[in-house]
Amino acid sequence: MQQLSRLSGSEILTRIRSREISAQEATRASLARMEIVEEKVRAFRCILEAEALTAAGAIDAALARGEDPGPLAGLPVALKDVLCLAGHPTTCGSKILENFIPPYDATVIRRLKEAGAVILGKTNMDEFAMGSSTENSAFEKTRNPWDLDRVPGGSSGGSAAAVAADMVPVSLGSDTGGSIRQPAAFCGIPGLKPTYGRVSRFGLVAFASSLDQVGPFGKTVEDLARVLSVISGQDPRDSTSAGVPVPEYAGQLSSPLRSIRLGVPREYFPSGLDAEIGGAVRTLLTRAEGLGARVVEISLPHTDYSIPTYYILATAEASSNLARYDGVRYGYRAKGAKDLGEMYRRSRSEGFGGEVKRRIMLGTYVLSSGYYDAYYLKAQKVRTLLKNDFDEAFKKADLIVTPTTPSTAFRFGEKTDDPLQMYLSDIFTATINLVGIPALSLPCGIATNGLPIGAQIIGPAFSEARLFQVAAALESELDFRSRHRPAALDA
Amino acid sequence: MNIGIETVRHVARLANIDFSDQELELFTRQLDSILGYIDKLNELETARIEPTSHVTRIEQTLREDRAAESLSVTQALANAPESKDHHFTVPKVIS
């Protein structure tokens, strides 16, 4: 059982399909692993043992009848608790949604179920996906499987830690400014933020609607490819979902790197960059050259302006999206208020945590009368400049390679007193959401502190097939997964 | 100073969130520091730049305007803190 939980999602799928193992055995292996390590990691908000075994049993029965239960038949998956799963609490890491039970499935969940995936549970996260360490969860702290004294990153920290700790082979997260890529880098696994519009957001609790995107974590790049093919595509229930055809990404993974141009933006390798992180990414580029890629120096001149732009637009959109939590239709309601206004104020004051309030305040301020032009409109204009930077860069390079994060996983409490320091941990990832393009974090090395380092591979809109090809080639060249494991759990 | 405590008090009213005086002081300090950082954008000349609100410029996905199955009233009210006679109920609007 222990060994089964170490397999990648793709390896498990192959074994189930060939009937070497059953779907129930795969689910039991995940549950058995949780039994051993979840107490230390605390990745999950809830574990759906009975439902998962029943769903896996149905897959086995279908296979026994000779039916095809779908491309993800029997694959154990975990879901960030920002996605609505019918009939089960969806808390978003917040007290204000502690008792919310969605009456419907998010489109991505419906698609996973229809493809035969088995849902093992919901994972912990920063409240309303606001944070970079999962410390903002109203419920518990999730630990990094590589070092239990450190954060797993965030906001999708639970989904990243669950995969890194071998509790599930794949999971879903959401990424508004780095919330998939940064925890993927901190936890030493691949993670993808797809192109804006690639994946439906129906049933994703909204944070910043012009930036949010759902995406996968996995053991391997192939895992990401298989899951993305299932969850992608147009959805009549999400007007921002794109009608761009969805390829079988996993079937197109092997492609030579020969003649591909990898752009290296000098602004992402500043003089103060952690030497080990810069070194690991440079080594990755050298290995890519060895495989025939061409490395070209490029410039993204407005890089320094991306975090201020991000924190204006993301908080403005959040303040508007989170206005719906008023204690009327769902969620927490303060008791004993004597009128409606007091009920609104007290429900929100008692229900939201500190970081969420801080962002609502910032967002309300930048949208308020007299400040709109100075902040919100200005940021939207700078967003145009950032987009132009990337349009220019993609004339010289097919893909762009940068570090995913400026540091490896930090310690609990290290950045909680200084919101600005926490925001700066998104410095290499947030621009990508502003520009709406896809980016994948790939583990590319281990620092002397024993923690993983991630490289970010960025492509033009809807270039996921290309991203997967290059990432898969580099993954097999580096062989990170068989050379490094999080030791903290098996001690 | 980029923002003062009176402005923060005003914004809290707009956002429908109550703060203690101590929280107001902390938030004023933190928002002041964040706004100081955000001020960096003023280094850029943007008078002739068009704003971007939506990045991919792909046409909206719209479904046909046809009645379809939806949530039942019972389902829609199931998460309400208080409801009565097929309605959400709230405290008095004017006290």
Side-chain angles (χ1 to χ4, degrees):
Chain A
M1 285 303 217
Q2 187 85 1
Q3 288 307 311
L4 207 51
S5 67
R6 287 197 187 181
L7 297 179
S8 73
S10 308
E11 288 161 350
I12 287 175
L13 285 170
T14 308
R15 287 177 201 211
I16 292 174
R17 195 158 285 274
S18 69
R19 317 268 316 262
E20 189 181 325
I21 61 169
S22 69
Q24 279 202 331
E25 280 173 313
T27 292
R28 285 213 178 86
S30 276
L31 292 167
R33 179 68 179 166
M34 288 175 188
E35 194 71 37
I36 301 168
V37 299
E38 169 59 6
E39 198 184 27
K40 294 182 193 163
V41 179
R42 298 184 174 276
F44 283 85
R45 289 285 309 123
C46 71
I47 292 168
L48 305 170
E49 180 169 350
E51 287 93 331
L53 286 169
T54 306
I59 297 292
D60 287 330
L63 283 168
R65 289 192 301 267
E67 293 166 13
D68 180 1
L72 302 183
L75 183 68
V77 301
L79 306 166
K80 185 180 184 181
D81 208 17
V82 69
L83 292 163
C84 288
L85 176 63
H88 295 284
T90 294
T91 67
C92 232
S94 182
K95 287 277 180 214
I96 214 162
L97 280 178
E98 193 167 5
N99 300 312
F100 174 62
I101 298 179
Y104 60 89
D105 278 337
T107 295
V108 290
I109 296 181
R110 182 174 55 76
R111 286 180 172 160
L112 284 177
K113 286 178 176 174
E114 285 169 2
V118 175
I119 291 156
L120 265 288
K122 307 287 295 284
T123 59
N124 196 30
M125 56 183 283
D126 284 303
E127 183 177 6
F128 284 105
M130 297 177 187
S132 308
S133 68
T134 313
E135 290 167 289
N136 293 334
S137 166
F139 303 106
E140 59 188 350
K141 285 187 180 24
T142 296
R143 282 114 167 233
N144 190 315
W146 294 78
D147 179 345
L148 299 174
D149 294 328
R150 295 184 188 253
V151 303
S155 65
S156 315
S159 282
V163 172
D166 291 333
M167 290 191 273
V168 282
V170 301
S171 61
L172 292 188
S174 65
D175 189 317
T176 304
S179 282
I180 291 173
R181 291 158 287 158
Q182 185 253 22
F186 278 13
C187 290
I189 56 170
L192 171 81
K193 183 207 88 78
T195 306
Y196 185 80
R198 177 74 297 186
V199 179
S200 165
R201 302 181 299 176
F202 177 75
L204 168 75
V205 178
F207 160 14
S209 301
S210 81
L211 306 166
D212 297 340
Q213 192 60 199
V214 178
F217 295 95
K219 296 274 181 77
T220 63
V221 173
E222 186 182 351
D223 288 355
L224 305 183
R226 287 183 186 246
V227 173
L228 190 69
S229 285
V230 167
I231 63 173
S232 292
Q234 199 164 27
D235 178 9
R237 289 177 155 143
D238 176 2
S239 68
T240 65
S241 66
V244 176
V246 181
E248 278 301 325
Y249 293 112
Q252 312 178 357
L253 284 182
S254 37
S255 167
L257 287 196
R258 197 156 15 88
S259 80
I260 197 162
R261 298 166 303 167
L262 300 179
V264 179
R266 62 181 75 98
E267 293 83 2
Y268 281 67
F269 295 82
S271 53
L273 178 67
D274 180 294
E276 288 188 301
I277 290 178
V281 178
R282 297 246 178 234
T283 303
L284 178 79
L285 288 162
T286 308
R287 303 289 283 269
E289 281 180 315
L291 295 173
R294 209 145 56 78
V295 173
V296 291
E297 179 118 348
I298 58 166
S299 174
L300 296 164
H302 295 94
T303 296
D304 277 356
Y305 302 98
S306 66
I307 292 287
T309 303
Y310 175 79
Y311 276 94
I312 291 172
L313 297 177
T315 60
E317 293 181 20
S319 73
S320 167
N321 272 326
L322 272 61
R324 73 190 65 177
Y325 301 101
D326 56 7
V328 176
R329 291 148 301 160
Y330 43 75
Y332 176 79
R333 176 186 289 194
K335 301 235 171 0
K338 54 185 190 310
D339 62 43
L340 185 64
E342 185 190 336
M343 192 278 280
Y344 287 158
R345 287 192 302 277
R346 281 190 33 215
S347 298
R348 291 166 64 79
S349 306
E350 293 166 21
F352 289 135
E355 180 59 24
V356 172
K357 288 179 186 172
R358 195 157 31 243
R359 296 205 195 184
I360 290 175
M361 289 289 286
L362 182 58
T364 305
Y365 175 71
V366 301
L367 288 176
S368 66
S369 174
Y371 298 101
Y372 177 88
D373 283 3
Y375 292 110
Y376 192 74
L377 187 65
K378 180 86 185 180
Q380 283 193 313
K381 289 179 168 191
V382 179
R383 190 176 191 177
T384 305
L385 297 175
L386 290 165
K387 187 176 182 333
N388 294 346
D389 279 1
F390 278 86
D391 288 346
E392 283 305 309
F394 285 127
K395 289 177 187 165
K396 298 190 185 109
D398 300 301
L399 301 176
I400 296 171
V401 179
T402 75
T404 306
T405 58
S407 75
T408 52
F410 43 88
R411 288 177 198 283
F412 289 102
E414 202 174 312
K415 295 178 196 277
T416 39
D417 292 337
D418 187 346
L420 196 51
Q421 277 311 306
M422 189 71 94
Y423 297 172
L424 289 173
S425 57
D426 296 334
I427 198 154
F428 298 142
T429 48
T431 324
I432 307 310
N433 300 72
L434 290 168
V435 181
I437 54 182
L440 185 154
S441 181
L442 184 74
C444 70
I446 291 281
T448 44
N449 61 11
L451 295 169
I453 296 170
Q456 179 175 235
I457 309 173
I458 307 161
F462 299 101
S463 68
E464 279 86 350
R466 201 66 178 289
L467 276 186
F468 288 142
Q469 287 162 0
V470 170
L474 292 171
E475 176 184 57
S476 104
E477 173 75 11
L478 293 174
D479 201 19
F480 180 92
R481 182 166 151 256
S482 55
R483 291 173 55 208
H484 306 286
R485 279 184 53 75
L489 294 176
D490 298 319
Chain B
M1 278 296 269
N2 300 289
I3 191 168
I5 195 159
E6 280 318 307
T7 309
V8 175
R9 206 186 296 276
H10 168 68
V11 172
R13 271 196 298 273
L14 293 176
N16 268 319
I17 299 176
D18 292 330
F19 292 106
S20 67
D21 285 347
Q22 208 186 345
E23 285 175 314
L24 273 182
E25 276 173 34
L26 175 70
F27 268 52
T28 305
R29 241 188 356 263
Q30 290 179 333
L31 291 178
D32 187 64
S33 138
I34 296 165
L35 288 169
Y37 176 64
I38 282 175
D39 253 354
K40 189 173 177 55
L41 294 189
N42 290 321
E43 294 169 7
L44 293 173
E45 171 55 53
T46 52
R48 263 171 282 173
I49 308 290
E50 286 293 314
T52 295
S53 56
H54 191 276
V55 269
T56 43
R57 289 171 197 153
I58 280 172
E59 268 187 55
Q60 286 220 319
T61 295
L62 299 174
R63 62 174 180 265
E64 271 186 75
D65 187 14
R66 265 209 320 254
E69 206 183 323
S70 188
L71 296 181
S72 68
V73 174
T74 319
Q75 283 178 310
L77 289 173
N79 278 290
E82 284 181 51
S83 65
K84 195 179 157 189
D85 300 336
H86 286 190
H87 291 88
F88 296 103
T89 53
V90 294
K92 271 188 293 189
V93 176
I94 302 165
S95 61

